[in-house]
Amino acid sequence: MAGRATTQKEGARGGTMGSPTRLNAPRPALVETAASGEPHLVDRELVTVVREEWRVVDRWWTEEPVDRRYFEVVLESGRNVCVYRDGDRACWFTQRA
């Protein structure tokens, strides 16, 4: 994309100057949770429905294991969003926004 500025956040997600960004790459998200750990707000927008929840624990035998708790939610605007909490990094990300 000609003329598109690359931000510091893009570099932190694994993209480098001149390299294309991965399709559906996770993006950092601001998530507030209920006492149960389910998302209540995603990027300052109210979650109206938690449609599905699942957990992925994989590659535990490697130096880069995966431990994620995923939620498919519907936001107040009607958008469907998939968010997950990375257990190893203790932070939230969105996909399919």
Side-chain angles (χ1 to χ4, degrees):
M1 290 181 205
R4 182 174 175 257
T6 302
T7 66
Q8 186 67 24
K9 282 186 177 181
E10 287 173 330
R13 288 197 307 262
T16 58
M17 297 286 282
S19 297
T21 303
R22 277 186 6 221
L23 182 63
N24 199 25
R27 287 169 281 183
L30 177 62
V31 175
E32 292 182 29
T33 61
S36 64
E38 291 184 345
H40 176 68
L41 292 172
V42 175
D43 293 332
R44 297 186 179 97
E45 191 171 345
L46 184 66
V47 173
T48 57
V49 177
V50 176
R51 297 180 67 189
E52 191 173 359
E53 174 184 347
W54 67 97
R55 187 160 182 206
V56 173
V57 178
D58 196 11
R59 298 192 321 220
W60 49 267
W61 62 91
T62 71
E63 292 182 24
E64 295 183 29
V66 173
D67 180 6
R68 297 176 180 171
R69 186 175 176 195
Y70 283 85
F71 297 89
E72 184 176 340
V73 300
V74 179
L75 302 179
E76 193 170 38
S77 66
R79 284 190 316 134
N80 290 323
V81 178
C82 183
V83 296
Y84 70 87
R85 184 175 191 284
D86 186 311
D88 293 326
R89 295 168 60 186
C91 52
W92 286 89
F93 295 90
T94 61
Q95 285 185 288
R96 293 190 316 214

